[in-house]
Coordinates of all heavy atoms in Angstrom, one line a residue:
M1494 N 75.1 -51.9 34.1 CA 74.8 -53.0 33.2 C 73.6 -52.6 32.3 O 72.6 -52.2 32.8 CB 74.5 -54.3 34.0 CG 74.0 -55.4 33.1 SD 73.4 -56.8 34.0 CE 74.8 -57.9 34.0
E1495 N 73.7 -52.8 31.0 CA 72.7 -52.5 30.1 C 71.9 -53.7 29.8 O 72.4 -54.8 29.6 CB 73.3 -51.9 28.8 CG 72.2 -51.4 27.9 CD 72.8 -50.7 26.7 OE1 73.8 -50.0 26.8 OE2 72.3 -50.9 25.6
H1496 N 70.5 -53.6 29.7 CA 69.6 -54.7 29.4 C 69.1 -54.5 28.0 O 68.8 -53.4 27.6 CB 68.5 -54.7 30.4 CG 69.0 -54.9 31.8 ND1 69.4 -56.1 32.3 CD2 69.1 -54.0 32.9 CE1 69.8 -56.0 33.6 NE2 69.6 -54.7 33.9
P1497 N 68.8 -55.6 27.3 CA 68.3 -55.5 25.9 C 66.8 -55.1 25.9 O 66.3 -54.7 24.8 CB 68.4 -56.9 25.4 CG 68.4 -57.8 26.6 CD 69.0 -57.0 27.7
F1498 N 66.1 -55.0 27.0 CA 64.7 -54.6 27.0 C 64.5 -53.5 27.9 O 65.1 -53.3 29.0 CB 63.8 -55.8 27.5 CG 64.0 -57.0 26.6 CD1 64.7 -58.1 27.1 CD2 63.4 -57.1 25.4 CE1 64.8 -59.3 26.4 CE2 63.5 -58.3 24.6 CZ 64.3 -59.3 25.1
E1499 N 63.5 -52.6 27.6 CA 63.2 -51.5 28.5 C 62.1 -52.0 29.4 O 61.9 -51.4 30.5 CB 62.7 -50.3 27.7 CG 63.8 -49.6 26.9 CD 63.3 -48.4 26.2 OE1 62.3 -47.8 26.7 OE2 63.8 -48.1 25.1
A1500 N 61.3 -52.9 29.0 CA 60.2 -53.4 29.9 C 59.9 -54.9 29.5 O 60.3 -55.4 28.5 CB 58.9 -52.6 29.6
L1501 N 59.2 -55.5 30.4 CA 58.8 -56.9 30.3 C 57.4 -57.0 30.7 O 57.0 -56.5 31.8 CB 59.7 -57.8 31.1 CG 59.6 -59.3 30.9 CD1 59.8 -59.7 29.5 CD2 60.5 -60.1 31.9
L1502 N 56.6 -57.6 29.9 CA 55.1 -57.7 30.1 C 54.8 -59.2 30.4 O 55.1 -60.0 29.6 CB 54.4 -57.2 28.9 CG 52.9 -57.2 29.0 CD1 52.4 -56.3 30.1 CD2 52.3 -56.8 27.6
F1503 N 54.1 -59.4 31.5 CA 53.6 -60.7 31.8 C 52.1 -60.7 31.6 O 51.4 -59.8 32.1 CB 54.0 -61.1 33.3 CG 55.4 -61.4 33.5 CD1 56.3 -60.4 33.9 CD2 55.9 -62.7 33.2 CE1 57.6 -60.7 34.1 CE2 57.2 -63.0 33.4 CZ 58.1 -62.0 33.8
D1504 N 51.6 -61.8 31.0 CA 50.1 -62.0 30.9 C 49.7 -63.2 31.7 O 49.6 -64.3 31.2 CB 49.8 -62.2 29.4 CG 48.3 -62.4 29.2 OD1 47.5 -61.9 30.0 OD2 47.9 -63.0 28.2
M1505 N 49.5 -62.9 33.0 CA 49.3 -64.0 33.9 C 47.8 -64.5 34.0 O 47.5 -65.6 34.5 CB 49.7 -63.6 35.4 CG 51.2 -63.2 35.5 SD 52.3 -64.6 35.1 CE 52.1 -65.4 36.7
D1506 N 46.9 -63.7 33.5 CA 45.5 -64.0 33.6 C 44.8 -64.3 32.2 O 43.6 -64.4 32.2 CB 44.7 -63.0 34.3 CG 44.8 -61.6 33.6 OD1 45.4 -61.5 32.5 OD2 44.2 -60.6 34.2
G1507 N 45.6 -64.3 31.2 CA 44.9 -64.6 29.9 C 44.3 -63.4 29.2 O 43.6 -63.6 28.2
L1508 N 44.5 -62.2 29.7 CA 43.9 -61.0 29.1 C 44.4 -60.7 27.7 O 43.7 -60.4 26.8 CB 44.1 -59.8 30.0 CG 43.5 -58.5 29.6 CD1 42.0 -58.7 29.5 CD2 43.9 -57.4 30.5
L1509 N 45.7 -60.8 27.5 CA 46.3 -60.5 26.2 C 46.4 -61.7 25.3 O 46.2 -61.6 24.1 CB 47.7 -60.0 26.4 CG 47.8 -58.7 27.3 CD1 49.3 -58.3 27.5 CD2 47.1 -57.6 26.6
L1510 N 46.6 -62.9 25.8 CA 46.7 -64.1 25.1 C 45.6 -65.0 25.6 O 45.4 -65.2 26.8 CB 48.1 -64.8 25.2 CG 49.3 -64.0 24.7 CD1 50.5 -64.7 25.1 CD2 49.2 -63.8 23.2
D1511 N 44.9 -65.7 24.6 CA 43.8 -66.5 25.0 C 44.3 -67.9 25.5 O 44.2 -68.9 24.7 CB 42.8 -66.7 23.9 CG 41.5 -67.4 24.2 OD1 41.4 -67.7 25.4 OD2 40.8 -67.8 23.3
T1512 N 44.8 -68.0 26.7 CA 45.4 -69.2 27.2 C 44.3 -70.1 27.8 O 44.5 -71.3 27.9 CB 46.4 -69.0 28.2 OG1 45.9 -68.1 29.2 CG2 47.7 -68.3 27.6
E1513 N 43.1 -69.5 28.1 CA 42.1 -70.4 28.7 C 41.6 -71.4 27.7 O 41.4 -72.6 28.2 CB 40.9 -69.5 29.1 CG 41.2 -68.6 30.3 CD 40.0 -67.7 30.7 OE1 39.1 -67.5 29.9 OE2 40.1 -67.1 31.8
R1514 N 41.5 -71.1 26.5 CA 41.1 -72.1 25.5 C 42.1 -73.3 25.4 O 41.7 -74.4 25.4 CB 41.0 -71.5 24.1 CG 40.4 -72.4 23.1 CD 40.3 -71.7 21.8 NE 40.1 -70.3 21.9 CZ 39.3 -69.5 21.2 NH1 38.8 -70.0 20.1 NH2 39.2 -68.2 21.4
L1515 N 43.4 -73.0 25.5 CA 44.4 -74.0 25.5 C 44.3 -74.9 26.7 O 44.5 -76.1 26.6 CB 45.8 -73.4 25.4 CG 46.1 -72.6 24.1 CD1 47.5 -71.9 24.3 CD2 46.1 -73.5 22.9
F1516 N 44.1 -74.3 27.9 CA 44.0 -75.1 29.1 C 42.7 -75.9 29.1 O 42.7 -77.1 29.5 CB 44.0 -74.2 30.3 CG 45.4 -73.7 30.7 CD1 45.6 -72.3 30.6 CD2 46.4 -74.5 31.0 CE1 46.9 -71.8 30.9 CE2 47.6 -74.1 31.3 CZ 47.9 -72.7 31.3
M1517 N 41.6 -75.4 28.5 CA 40.4 -76.2 28.4 C 40.6 -77.4 27.5 O 40.2 -78.5 27.8 CB 39.2 -75.4 27.9 CG 38.0 -76.2 27.8 SD 36.4 -75.3 27.6 CE 36.7 -74.2 26.3
E1518 N 41.3 -77.2 26.4 CA 41.6 -78.3 25.5 C 42.5 -79.3 26.1 O 42.3 -80.5 25.9 CB 42.2 -77.8 24.1 CG 41.2 -77.0 23.3 CD 39.8 -77.6 23.1 OE1 39.8 -78.8 22.8 OE2 38.8 -76.9 23.1
S1519 N 43.4 -78.9 26.9 CA 44.3 -79.8 27.7 C 43.5 -80.7 28.6 O 43.8 -81.9 28.7 CB 45.4 -79.0 28.4 OG 46.2 -78.4 27.5
L1520 N 42.6 -80.0 29.3 CA 41.7 -80.8 30.3 C 40.8 -81.8 29.5 O 40.7 -83.0 30.0 CB 40.9 -79.9 31.1 CG 40.0 -80.5 32.2 CD1 40.9 -81.3 33.2 CD2 39.1 -79.5 32.9
V1521 N 40.3 -81.4 28.4 CA 39.5 -82.3 27.6 C 40.4 -83.5 27.1 O 39.9 -84.7 27.2 CB 38.9 -81.6 26.4 CG1 38.3 -82.6 25.4 CG2 37.8 -80.6 26.8
S1522 N 41.6 -83.2 26.7 CA 42.5 -84.3 26.3 C 42.9 -85.2 27.5 O 42.9 -86.4 27.3 CB 43.8 -83.7 25.7 OG 43.5 -83.1 24.5
L1523 N 43.1 -84.6 28.6 CA 43.4 -85.4 29.8 C 42.3 -86.3 30.2 O 42.6 -87.5 30.6 CB 43.7 -84.4 31.0 CG 43.9 -85.1 32.4 CD1 45.2 -85.8 32.5 CD2 43.7 -84.1 33.4
T1524 N 41.1 -85.9 30.1 CA 40.0 -86.7 30.6 C 39.4 -87.7 29.5 O 38.6 -88.6 29.8 CB 38.8 -85.8 31.1 OG1 38.4 -84.9 30.0 CG2 39.2 -85.0 32.3
R1525 N 39.8 -87.5 28.3 CA 39.3 -88.4 27.2 C 39.6 -89.8 27.5 O 38.7 -90.7 27.3 CB 39.9 -87.9 25.8 CG 39.3 -88.6 24.6 CD 39.7 -87.9 23.3 NE 39.0 -86.6 23.2 CZ 39.7 -85.4 22.9 NH1 41.0 -85.5 22.7 NH2 39.1 -84.3 22.8
P1526 N 40.8 -90.2 27.9 CA 41.0 -91.7 28.2 C 40.2 -92.2 29.3 O 40.0 -93.4 29.5 CB 42.5 -91.7 28.6 CG 43.1 -90.5 28.0 CD 42.0 -89.5 28.0
L1527 N 39.6 -91.3 30.1 CA 38.8 -91.7 31.2 C 37.3 -91.8 30.8 O 36.4 -92.1 31.7 CB 38.9 -90.7 32.4 CG 40.3 -90.4 32.9 CD1 40.3 -89.3 33.9 CD2 40.8 -91.7 33.5
A1528 N 37.0 -91.6 29.5 CA 35.7 -91.7 29.0 C 34.7 -90.7 29.7 O 33.5 -91.0 29.8 CB 35.1 -93.1 29.0
M1529 N 35.2 -89.5 30.0 CA 34.4 -88.5 30.6 C 33.7 -87.7 29.5 O 34.3 -87.5 28.5 CB 35.2 -87.6 31.5 CG 35.8 -88.3 32.7 SD 36.8 -87.3 33.8 CE 35.5 -86.3 34.6
D1530 N 32.4 -87.3 29.7 CA 31.6 -86.6 28.8 C 32.3 -85.3 28.5 O 32.5 -84.5 29.4 CB 30.2 -86.4 29.3 CG 29.3 -85.7 28.3 OD1 29.5 -84.5 28.0 OD2 28.4 -86.4 27.8
E1531 N 32.7 -85.0 27.2 CA 33.4 -83.8 26.9 C 32.6 -82.5 27.2 O 33.2 -81.5 27.7 CB 33.7 -83.8 25.4 CG 34.6 -82.6 25.0 CD 35.1 -82.7 23.5 OE1 35.4 -83.9 23.1 OE2 35.1 -81.7 22.9
A1532 N 31.3 -82.5 27.0 CA 30.5 -81.3 27.3 C 30.5 -81.1 28.8 O 30.6 -79.9 29.3 CB 29.0 -81.5 26.9
V1533 N 30.5 -82.1 29.6 CA 30.6 -81.9 31.1 C 31.9 -81.4 31.5 O 32.0 -80.5 32.3 CB 30.3 -83.3 31.8 CG1 30.6 -83.2 33.3 CG2 28.9 -83.7 31.6
V1534 N 33.0 -81.9 30.9 CA 34.4 -81.4 31.2 C 34.5 -79.9 30.8 O 35.0 -79.1 31.6 CB 35.4 -82.2 30.4 CG1 36.8 -81.6 30.6 CG2 35.4 -83.7 30.9
R1535 N 34.0 -79.5 29.6 CA 34.0 -78.1 29.2 C 33.2 -77.2 30.2 O 33.7 -76.2 30.5 CB 33.5 -78.0 27.8 CG 34.4 -78.6 26.8 CD 33.9 -78.4 25.3 NE 34.8 -79.1 24.4 CZ 35.9 -78.6 23.9 NH1 36.3 -77.4 24.3 NH2 36.7 -79.3 23.1
R1536 N 32.0 -77.7 30.6 CA 31.3 -76.9 31.5 C 32.0 -76.7 32.9 O 32.0 -75.7 33.5 CB 29.9 -77.5 31.8 CG 28.9 -77.1 30.7 CD 27.4 -77.5 31.1 NE 27.2 -78.8 31.5 CZ 27.0 -79.8 30.6 NH1 26.9 -79.6 29.3 NH2 26.8 -81.1 31.0
F1537 N 32.6 -77.8 33.3 CA 33.4 -77.8 34.5 C 34.5 -76.8 34.4 O 34.7 -75.9 35.3 CB 34.0 -79.2 34.9 CG 35.0 -79.1 36.0 CD1 34.6 -78.9 37.3 CD2 36.3 -79.3 35.7 CE1 35.6 -78.9 38.3 CE2 37.3 -79.2 36.7 CZ 36.9 -79.0 38.0
F1538 N 35.3 -76.8 33.3 CA 36.4 -75.9 33.1 C 35.9 -74.4 33.2 O 36.5 -73.6 33.8 CB 37.1 -76.1 31.8 CG 38.2 -75.2 31.6 CD1 39.4 -75.4 32.2 CD2 38.0 -74.0 30.9 CE1 40.5 -74.4 32.0 CE2 39.0 -73.1 30.7 CZ 40.2 -73.3 31.3
L1539 N 34.8 -74.2 32.5 CA 34.2 -72.8 32.5 C 33.9 -72.4 33.9 O 34.0 -71.2 34.2 CB 33.1 -72.7 31.5 CG 33.4 -72.9 30.0 CD1 32.1 -72.9 29.2 CD2 34.4 -71.8 29.6
S1540 N 33.5 -73.3 34.7 CA 33.1 -72.9 36.1 C 34.3 -72.5 36.9 O 34.2 -71.9 38.0 CB 32.4 -74.1 36.8 OG 33.3 -75.1 37.2
L1541 N 35.5 -72.9 36.5 CA 36.7 -72.6 37.2 C 37.2 -71.1 36.9 O 38.0 -70.6 37.7 CB 37.9 -73.5 36.8 CG 37.6 -75.0 37.1 CD1 38.8 -75.8 36.6 CD2 37.4 -75.2 38.6
I1542 N 36.8 -70.5 35.8 CA 37.3 -69.2 35.5 C 36.9 -68.2 36.6 O 35.7 -68.1 37.0 CB 36.7 -68.8 34.1 CG1 37.2 -69.7 33.0 CG2 37.1 -67.3 33.8 CD1 36.7 -69.5 31.6
G1543 N 37.9 -67.5 37.0 CA 37.7 -66.5 38.1 C 37.9 -67.0 39.5 O 37.8 -66.2 40.4
T1544 N 38.2 -68.3 39.6 CA 38.4 -68.9 41.0 C 39.8 -68.8 41.4 O 40.7 -68.7 40.5 CB 37.9 -70.3 41.1 OG1 38.6 -71.1 40.2 CG2 36.4 -70.4 40.8
S1545 N 40.1 -68.8 42.7 CA 41.5 -68.8 43.1 C 42.2 -70.1 42.9 O 41.5 -71.1 42.5 CB 41.5 -68.6 44.7 OG 41.0 -69.7 45.3
S1546 N 43.5 -70.1 43.0 CA 44.2 -71.4 42.8 C 43.8 -72.5 43.8 O 43.7 -73.6 43.4 CB 45.7 -71.1 43.0 OG 46.2 -70.3 42.0
A1547 N 43.6 -72.1 45.0 CA 43.1 -73.1 46.0 C 41.8 -73.6 45.7 O 41.6 -74.9 45.8 CB 43.1 -72.4 47.4
E1548 N 40.8 -72.8 45.2 CA 39.5 -73.2 44.9 C 39.6 -74.1 43.6 O 38.9 -75.2 43.5 CB 38.6 -72.1 44.5 CG 38.2 -71.2 45.7 CD 37.5 -69.9 45.4 OE1 38.0 -69.3 44.4 OE2 36.5 -69.6 46.0
T1549 N 40.4 -73.8 42.7 CA 40.6 -74.6 41.4 C 41.2 -75.9 41.8 O 40.7 -77.0 41.3 CB 41.5 -73.8 40.4 OG1 40.9 -72.6 40.1 CG2 41.7 -74.7 39.2
K1550 N 42.2 -76.0 42.6 CA 42.8 -77.2 43.0 C 41.8 -78.2 43.6 O 41.7 -79.4 43.3 CB 44.0 -77.0 43.9 CG 44.8 -78.2 44.2 CD 46.0 -77.9 45.0 CE 46.8 -79.1 45.3 NZ 48.1 -78.8 46.0
Q1551 N 41.0 -77.6 44.6 CA 40.0 -78.4 45.3 C 38.9 -78.9 44.3 O 38.5 -80.1 44.4 CB 39.4 -77.6 46.4 CG 38.4 -78.5 47.3 CD 39.1 -79.7 47.8 OE1 40.2 -79.7 48.4 NE2 38.4 -80.8 47.7
A1552 N 38.5 -78.0 43.4 CA 37.5 -78.4 42.5 C 37.9 -79.6 41.5 O 37.2 -80.5 41.3 CB 37.0 -77.2 41.6
I1553 N 39.2 -79.5 41.1 CA 39.7 -80.5 40.2 C 39.8 -81.8 41.0 O 39.5 -82.9 40.4 CB 41.1 -80.1 39.6 CG1 40.9 -79.0 38.6 CG2 41.8 -81.3 39.0 CD1 42.1 -78.4 38.1
K1554 N 40.3 -81.8 42.2 CA 40.4 -83.0 43.0 C 39.0 -83.7 43.2 O 38.9 -84.9 43.2 CB 40.9 -82.7 44.4 CG 42.4 -82.5 44.5 CD 42.8 -82.3 45.9 CE 44.3 -82.1 46.0 NZ 44.7 -81.9 47.4
T1555 N 38.0 -82.8 43.3 CA 36.6 -83.3 43.5 C 36.0 -83.9 42.1 O 35.4 -84.9 42.1 CB 35.7 -82.2 44.0 OG1 36.2 -81.8 45.2 CG2 34.3 -82.7 44.2
F1556 N 36.4 -83.2 41.0 CA 35.9 -83.5 39.7 C 36.4 -84.7 39.1 O 35.7 -85.6 38.5 CB 36.1 -82.3 38.8 CG 35.5 -82.5 37.4 CD1 34.2 -82.5 37.1 CD2 36.4 -82.7 36.3 CE1 33.7 -82.7 35.9 CE2 35.9 -82.9 35.0 CZ 34.6 -82.9 34.8
L1557 N 37.8 -84.9 39.2 CA 38.4 -86.0 38.5 C 38.1 -87.3 39.3 O 38.0 -87.3 40.5 CB 39.9 -85.8 38.5 CG 40.4 -84.7 37.5 CD1 41.9 -84.6 37.5 CD2 39.9 -85.0 36.1
P1558 N 38.0 -88.4 38.6 CA 37.7 -89.7 39.2 C 38.8 -90.1 40.2 O 39.9 -89.7 40.0 CB 37.6 -90.7 38.0 CG 37.4 -89.8 36.8 CD 38.0 -88.5 37.1
V1559 N 38.4 -90.9 41.2 CA 39.3 -91.3 42.2 C 40.5 -92.1 41.6 O 41.6 -92.1 42.1 CB 38.6 -92.2 43.2 CG1 39.5 -92.8 44.2 CG2 37.5 -91.4 43.9
M1560 N 40.2 -92.8 40.4 CA 41.2 -93.6 39.8 C 42.4 -92.8 39.2 O 43.4 -93.4 38.9 CB 40.6 -94.5 38.7 CG 40.1 -93.7 37.5 SD 39.4 -94.9 36.4 CE 38.3 -93.8 35.5
V1561 N 42.3 -91.5 39.1 CA 43.4 -90.7 38.6 C 44.5 -90.6 39.6 O 44.3 -90.2 40.8 CB 42.9 -89.2 38.3 CG1 44.1 -88.4 37.8 CG2 41.9 -89.3 37.2
P1562 N 45.7 -91.1 39.3 CA 46.8 -91.1 40.3 C 47.2 -89.7 40.7 O 46.9 -88.8 39.9 CB 47.9 -91.8 39.6 CG 47.6 -91.8 38.1 CD 46.1 -91.6 38.0
P1563 N 47.8 -89.5 41.8 CA 48.1 -88.2 42.3 C 49.0 -87.4 41.3 O 49.0 -86.2 41.3 CB 48.9 -88.5 43.6 CG 48.4 -89.8 44.0 CD 48.1 -90.5 42.8
L1564 N 49.8 -88.1 40.6 CA 50.7 -87.4 39.6 C 50.1 -87.3 38.3 O 50.7 -86.8 37.3 CB 52.1 -88.1 39.5 CG 52.9 -88.1 40.8 CD1 54.2 -88.8 40.6 CD2 53.2 -86.6 41.2
G1565 N 48.8 -87.6 38.1 CA 48.1 -87.4 36.9 C 48.3 -88.5 35.8 O 48.7 -89.6 36.1
I1566 N 47.9 -88.1 34.6 CA 47.9 -89.0 33.5 C 48.9 -88.5 32.5 O 48.9 -87.3 32.1 CB 46.5 -89.1 32.9 CG1 45.5 -89.6 33.9 CG2 46.6 -90.0 31.6 CD1 44.1 -89.5 33.4
E1567 N 49.8 -89.4 32.0 CA 50.7 -89.1 30.9 C 51.5 -87.8 31.2 O 51.5 -86.9 30.4 CB 50.0 -89.0 29.6 CG 49.4 -90.4 29.2 CD 48.7 -90.3 27.9 OE1 49.3 -89.9 26.9 OE2 47.5 -90.6 27.9
G1568 N 52.0 -87.6 32.4 CA 52.8 -86.4 32.7 C 52.1 -85.2 33.2 O 52.7 -84.3 33.7
F1569 N 50.8 -85.2 33.1 CA 50.0 -84.0 33.6 C 50.0 -84.1 35.1 O 49.5 -85.1 35.7 CB 48.6 -84.0 33.1 CG 47.8 -82.9 33.6 CD1 47.9 -81.6 33.0 CD2 47.0 -83.0 34.7 CE1 47.1 -80.6 33.5 CE2 46.2 -82.0 35.2 CZ 46.3 -80.8 34.6
E1570 N 50.5 -83.2 35.8 CA 50.6 -83.2 37.3 C 49.5 -82.4 37.9 O 49.6 -81.2 38.0 CB 52.0 -82.8 37.7 CG 53.1 -83.7 37.3 CD 54.4 -83.5 37.9 OE1 54.5 -82.7 38.9 OE2 55.4 -84.0 37.3
V1571 N 48.5 -83.1 38.4 CA 47.4 -82.4 39.1 C 47.9 -81.6 40.3 O 47.3 -80.6 40.5 CB 46.3 -83.5 39.5 CG1 45.2 -82.8 40.3 CG2 45.8 -84.2 38.3
N1572 N 48.9 -82.1 41.0 CA 49.3 -81.4 42.2 C 50.0 -80.1 41.9 O 50.2 -79.3 42.8 CB 50.3 -82.3 42.9 CG 49.6 -83.5 43.5 OD1 48.4 -83.5 43.8 ND2 50.4 -84.6 43.7
R1573 N 50.3 -79.8 40.7 CA 50.9 -78.5 40.4 C 49.9 -77.3 40.3 O 50.3 -76.2 40.2 CB 51.7 -78.5 39.1 CG 53.0 -79.3 39.2 CD 53.8 -79.1 38.0 NE 55.1 -79.9 38.2 CZ 56.0 -79.9 37.3 NH1 55.8 -79.3 36.1 NH2 57.1 -80.6 37.5
L1574 N 48.6 -77.6 40.3 CA 47.6 -76.6 40.1 C 47.5 -75.8 41.4 O 47.7 -76.2 42.5 CB 46.3 -77.2 39.8 CG 46.3 -77.8 38.4 CD1 44.9 -78.5 38.2 CD2 46.5 -76.8 37.3

């Protein structure tokens, strides 16, 4: 069977594409309806860079207000992190 590609490249850590900025803006948008200070949210996000998935998930659970439902806000699923 012949394949149309010789190789496939995955950028899982944002090295080739700057996905961190997109995720940070998503977190800022998510927390805006909660009236959270944008500068605090950005500093929090930056503190997550380089942490494991488990550490990130725990930090987000601690950071977000208790009033955030388990399935998130407007389709954002906190449990998927």
Side-chain angles (χ1 to χ4, degrees):
M1494 174 190 261
E1495 189 172 320
H1496 299 284
F1498 303 104
E1499 290 183 30
L1501 187 58
L1502 179 65
F1503 288 94
D1504 180 27
M1505 301 296 284
D1506 62 0
L1508 182 63
L1509 299 176
L1510 299 173
D1511 185 9
T1512 53
E1513 287 176 348
R1514 186 180 330 214
L1515 296 173
F1516 285 117
M1517 180 165 50
E1518 294 307 321
S1519 295
L1520 184 61
V1521 168
S1522 293
L1523 170 75
T1524 56
R1525 194 168 285 129
L1527 303 173
M1529 295 179 73
D1530 184 289
E1531 186 173 322
V1533 171
V1534 173
R1535 290 179 184 281
R1536 279 194 304 274
F1537 169 73
F1538 179 83
L1539 293 174
S1540 76
L1541 299 176
I1542 296 174
T1544 62
S1545 70
S1546 294
E1548 291 170 318
T1549 299
K1550 185 175 182 177
Q1551 184 57 45
I1553 289 174
K1554 283 182 178 181
T1555 303
F1556 180 73
L1557 290 177
V1559 176
M1560 67 181 155
V1561 175
L1564 293 178
I1566 298 171
E1567 298 179 55
F1569 178 84
E1570 295 188 16
V1571 175
N1572 292 332
R1573 287 192 178 179
L1574 295 176

